[in-house]
Amino acid sequence: METMYSNGTRASSISGAAWVKAHASDATNNCVEIARVTEGQVALRNSRFPDGPALVFTRAEMIAFIAGAGAGEFDAMTV
């Protein structure tokens, strides 16, 4: 049976996670990283805190987020 992870799981404790960050990361590599953690889940973590908590999302949740980001729905959220 596949392990299901929950939000707040320590990122470093997610077995076999291969964390990926965007090539657009800044010069100090501060970025949000993503990893597939199960067949139906991905996790996000802050690269500055690799041992910190991860947010875990389903495939459907990520598809909805990526579609919204691509449509510019979150453009006002950047700092």
Side-chain angles (χ1 to χ4, degrees), residues 2-67:
E2 192 171 50
T3 300
M4 299 298 283
Y5 293 96
S6 60
N7 284 319
T9 297
R10 188 171 43 177
S12 62
S13 72
I14 297 175
S15 178
W19 296 97
V20 178
K21 66 177 84 178
H23 292 288
S25 297
D26 67 23
T28 57
N29 292 319
N30 293 333
C31 191
V32 173
E33 296 176 313
I34 187 169
R36 180 184 303 269
V37 296
T38 70
E39 191 60 35
Q41 292 182 308
V42 296
L44 300 175
R45 74 176 181 181
N46 184 330
S47 66
R48 291 179 291 139
F49 306 103
D51 196 39
L55 295 176
V56 181
F57 298 96
T58 65
R59 176 178 167 76
E61 290 167 334
M62 286 305 299
I63 288 170
F65 176 77
I66 291 168

